[in-house]
Amino acid sequence: MSEVRVRIAPSPSGNLHIGTARTALFNYLFAKKNNGKFILRIEDTDAERTSQEYIDNIFDSLKALGLNWDEGPDVGGPYGPYTQSERFDIYPKYVQKLLDSGFAYECFCTPEELEQEKEEATKAKKPYVYSKKCENLTEEEKAKLRAEGRKPAIRFNIAKAQKAFHDSSILKFNDMVKGELHMDTNLLGDFVIQKSNGTPTYNFAVVIDDALMKISHVIRGEDHISNTYKQILIFEALGFEVPQFGHLGMILAPDRSKLSKRHGATAVSDFVKEGYLTEALINFVALLGWSPSDGEEIKSVDEIAKDFRIHEISSSNSIFEYDKLKWMNGHYIKMLPIEKLKEMLKPYLTKYNLNELTDAQYTKMVEITREPLTLLSDITDAVPYFFGKDVEIEPETQTGTLDTETAQNVLKDFVEKAKDWDWTEENLHEKLADFRAEWKEKGGIKPKVTMWAIRAAVTGRTCGADMVGILDILGKDTSLYRANKAIKAAV
Ligand code: GLU
C-alpha cells in the first residue's frame, strides 16, 4: 500500500471546536497506527469569516492536545503551502482543465435569477437543483453576457461526470466507518467550483488540495457526506486517484441536540480556561465513538494509537457527557505530579496573594485540597481561607454552627488550650485528637461536632481540607485570632 497520508482541514472561522479536535485525533491515530503522515491544512477560502486569531487558536489548541502535525503551516512539507489562501494561483489551472474537458461550464446567472429559481422550487415543494440554464450557452450568448458586465461563475457538470464514470445516476462509495453509501447524483445539482470573483469554493479547493497533497484517506464528520459525492466526481473528472473516505458520527449534547455553547464549552481553549486538562480532553474525545479493546478507558494517546482500528469506530452519533468528562478530568488532576499541579493551579489563584505562603506551605495547601478537584478552576473557591488574617464566614455556618452553645464552649476551650500548643503538624494531630476525646468524655460531644466548631471558626465553612494541615499552614496566630473572633461574633 502506498503511504498513508491523512489531514485535518479546519476552517478558521472560530476557535478549534472540540468536534474538530476529535476528527483531528482520529486522523492522527490512523496515521500513527499506519506509520503514515498527519497533515494540517488551513481552509481559509472564506476570507470574510477567517481571522488570524482563529488560526493561532487552531495551532495552539492542536499543539496543546499533543496532535502535532507532520506537514503543514509552521512545519512545511513537500506539497505546501498548506494554507489555502496561499494556494490561489494553483486552482485556476484545474478549473480550466474541467472547462476544456466539458466537465464544467460558465454560469452567468445573477444572484436574483438564482434566488427566483430557489423560490420556485420552494413553492413547488421540490428540493432546489440548479436549472442548468447556462450549460449550453453559445459563444455569442456568452460574449453578450460578458459585454453586459457579467462575470461568470464556473459550475461542475454533475450529469456529465456521472455518465462518464458510472453506469447509472447512482454514485456509490465504500465508507471506512459507515460501509457502503450511495446517492442519486441527479439530486446534487451543478454546483459552483469557482465563484464569479475567481475564488475556488470549498468542494473544489479541497479536491485539488487532497489530490496534490496525496491524501490517501479522508476522515471527517458525517455532515460532509453529501460533499463527498461531489468531490468523488471532481477527482474522477480530473483523473486523480480517489482517496478512501471515512465519515464519523456527530457529537451531540446530552439533550441530543447539536452541541453548542448553551450546553457548556465547545472550543478546546474554553475547556482549558475552565480548568480541563488537555490529557483528559483528548482521552475523553477518543471515547466518543471508539472503545478500547480491554475496556480500560483511561488511556494516553500513544496507548490509544496502538489499539486503534478505524473500522471499529461506531457509525452512530455520540453523546458528549460533560459529567463524564469532569470525572475523567478529576482523575487526571489526581495523577498530576505535585510540582506540575502547583504551576497549573496558579492561573486560578490570581485573586489571592500567593506570596503569603512559603513554597512549602503552598505545596501543603495543594496537597490537602487537590482530592475533590474535578476542574483546576475548582481551586479558586476551595482555598480562600488560606489567605489573609480574617476569614469570611458562610451565613449558614454562622447560624448553624458557630452560634450554637456547643460550638462556643468548644471554641473557648480550644483557644485556652491551643495557645500553649507546640504548632507542628505532628503535635497538632495529637493535641486535636486528645481535645476531641476530652469533649466526648466530658460533654458527650461527638468528635466531628467538636471539629466542626474549630473548622467553622478558622475556615468559615463546615467542610474542606484536612484540619491539621489548615492549622499548620495558617500558623498559631491566625488560627487563634480567627477562633477568638468567632467567639466574639456569636449572637
Ligand atoms: N474546512 C472543512 C471544515 O472545516 C474541512 C472539511 C474536510 O475535512 O474536507 O469542515
Side-chain angles (χ1 to χ4, degrees):
M1 187 166 85
S2 57
E3 190 189 29
V4 165
R5 294 174 57 82
V6 294
R7 82 317 190 260
I8 182 74
S11 301
S13 56
N15 290 335
L16 187 80
H17 192 275
I18 190 78
T20 313
R22 182 187 63 153
T23 308
L25 171 66
F26 285 168
N27 274 284
Y28 177 90
L29 293 171
F30 188 71
K32 289 288 156 257
K33 177 87 190 191
N34 296 290
N35 289 321
K37 292 270 189 310
F38 171 62
I39 294 147
L40 171 64
R41 182 169 72 229
I42 296 295
E43 300 208 326
D44 58 349
T45 47
D46 187 351
E48 271 167 37
R49 298 178 63 208
T50 293
S51 90
Q52 187 57 43
E53 188 193 328
Y54 294 144
I55 295 179
D56 291 342
N57 181 278
I58 290 169
F59 292 172
D60 293 347
S61 301
L62 287 173
K63 282 179 194 161
L65 292 167
L67 302 177
N68 296 312
W69 49 99
D70 301 304
E71 290 172 27
D74 281 5
V75 178
Y79 307 110
Y82 293 87
T83 300
Q84 279 183 336
S85 59
E86 294 167 23
R87 299 173 62 79
F88 278 159
D89 54 341
I90 296 175
Y91 306 115
K93 174 174 140 200
Y94 295 96
V95 172
Q96 194 56 48
K97 232 176 145 177
L98 289 178
L99 284 169
D100 294 346
S101 53
F103 288 119
Y105 58 89
E106 291 177 311
C107 169
F108 291 85
C109 291
T110 62
E112 295 74 31
E113 284 170 322
L114 295 172
E115 200 43 52
Q116 201 182 334
E117 281 192 358
K118 277 183 201 156
E119 272 169 30
E120 277 161 23
T122 313
K123 261 190 227 146
K125 295 199 165 64
K126 282 188 181 154
Y128 171 67
V129 174
Y130 174 61
S131 64
K132 291 166 92 70
K133 200 156 90 185
C134 295
E135 184 188 6
N136 296 311
L137 291 178
T138 61
E139 286 311 316
E140 291 83 59
E141 285 167 326
K142 286 189 206 168
K144 210 170 139 223
L145 289 161
R146 271 204 184 83
E148 283 174 23
R150 293 203 196 188
K151 286 207 169 73
I154 313 295
R155 285 185 187 269
F156 188 74
N157 196 329
I158 295 267
K160 193 139 186 207
Q162 181 68 21
K163 270 196 207 97
F165 304 104
H166 303 275
D167 297 337
S168 75
S169 69
I170 304 298
L171 180 57
K172 291 185 197 153
F173 71 95
N174 219 332
D175 190 276
M176 288 187 286
V177 178
K178 294 188 176 282
E180 191 183 280
L181 296 176
H182 57 86
M183 185 180 184
D184 186 343
T185 50
N186 288 331
L187 299 173
L188 285 175
D190 289 352
F191 58 96
V192 172
I193 56 172
Q194 181 178 283
K195 296 183 208 165
S196 58
N197 68 5
T199 55
T201 58
Y202 156 71
N203 272 312
F204 186 68
V206 79
V207 169
I208 306 305
D209 291 347
D210 283 341
L212 299 184
M213 293 177 186
K214 303 198 185 310
I215 300 301
S216 59
H217 298 77
V218 172
I219 303 164
R220 60 186 171 195
E222 67 178 25
D223 49 333
H224 282 290
I225 290 176
S226 62
N227 289 326
T228 299
Y229 297 105
K230 297 176 182 173
Q231 292 170 16
I232 289 173
L233 291 175
I234 303 178
F235 275 108
E236 290 173 334
L238 285 168
F240 289 134
E241 197 179 323
V242 182
Q244 286 203 55
F245 291 92
H247 290 92
L248 309 169
M250 303 306 282
I251 302 178
L252 302 180
D255 65 5
R256 305 211 162 237
S257 64
K258 191 168 174 249
L259 191 68
S260 77
K261 283 195 182 132
R262 76 191 155 87
H263 300 108
T266 53
V268 170
S269 49
D270 287 339
F271 281 102
V272 170
K273 259 186 231 142
E274 284 184 17
Y276 288 94
L277 304 182
T278 48
E279 292 86 344
L281 275 175
I282 203 79
N283 190 163
F284 176 75
V285 296
L287 301 174
L288 297 173
W290 175 82
S291 334
S293 53
D294 61 1
E296 179 52 64
E297 293 198 316
I298 303 282
K299 286 222 155 59
S300 69
V301 173
D302 285 347
E303 286 167 326
I304 293 169
K306 286 194 198 107
D307 198 19
F308 183 74
R309 281 165 297 270
I310 186 119
H311 300 98
E312 288 173 10
I313 290 183
S314 153
S315 64
S316 46
N317 295 332
S318 317
I319 305 293
F320 197 97
E321 303 282 4
Y322 284 89
D323 288 343
K324 181 169 177 186
L325 171 58
K326 272 196 183 148
W327 163 81
M328 200 169 253
N329 201 56
H331 180 87
Y332 274 90
I333 290 178
K334 283 187 187 66
M335 296 201 307
L336 278 180
I338 186 73
E339 287 305 319
K340 180 141 191 231
L341 180 59
K342 278 165 63 186
E343 272 320 296
M344 295 192 81
L345 289 175
K346 280 184 181 163
Y348 304 97
L349 295 169
T350 50
K351 69 188 243 195
Y352 307 112
N353 180 7
L354 273 187
N355 293 330
E356 286 179 30
L357 304 178
T358 62
D359 186 55
Q361 285 171 325
Y362 178 46
T363 306
K364 179 104 220 163
M365 183 192 93
V366 173
E367 274 170 357
I368 64 176
T369 50
R370 70 183 295 175
E371 170 65 27
L373 302 181
T374 53
L375 296 175
L376 294 173
S377 53
D378 290 344
I379 196 73
T380 315
D381 291 334
V383 298
Y385 54 81
F386 288 100
F387 300 91
K389 191 87 181 153
D390 287 296
V391 69
E392 198 179 317
I393 310 279
E394 289 172 346
E396 60 276 21
T397 303
Q398 182 69 47
T399 50
T401 306
L402 288 176
D403 288 349
T404 63
E405 203 184 326
T406 308
Q408 287 296 310
N409 292 336
V410 166
L411 285 173
K412 282 173 197 155
D413 192 31
F414 174 68
V415 292
E416 192 48 41
K417 297 203 163 98
K419 70 178 189 316
D420 299 325
W421 290 353
D422 195 8
W423 218 259
T424 62
E425 206 175 337
E426 306 85 84
N427 195 47
L428 283 168
H429 203 80
E430 218 171 276
K431 293 286 186 205
L432 275 176
D434 293 348
F435 186 76
R436 287 192 294 263
E438 256 174 57
W439 271 90
K440 183 152 190 279
E441 265 164 47
K442 100 179 158 201
I445 306 296
K446 283 189 188 144
K448 67 176 179 197
V449 175
T450 306
M451 290 310 287
W452 271 336
I454 299 172
R455 182 181 291 282
V458 175
T459 71
R461 307 169 169 207
T462 46
C463 56
D466 168 56
M467 206 51 229
V468 169
I470 296 170
L471 293 172
D472 181 36
I473 293 169
L474 287 175
K476 190 192 260 187
D477 283 357
T478 303
S479 303
L480 295 187
Y481 165 83
R482 289 183 185 177
N484 269 310
K485 210 169 163 190
I487 297 168
K488 290 195 198 108
V491 288

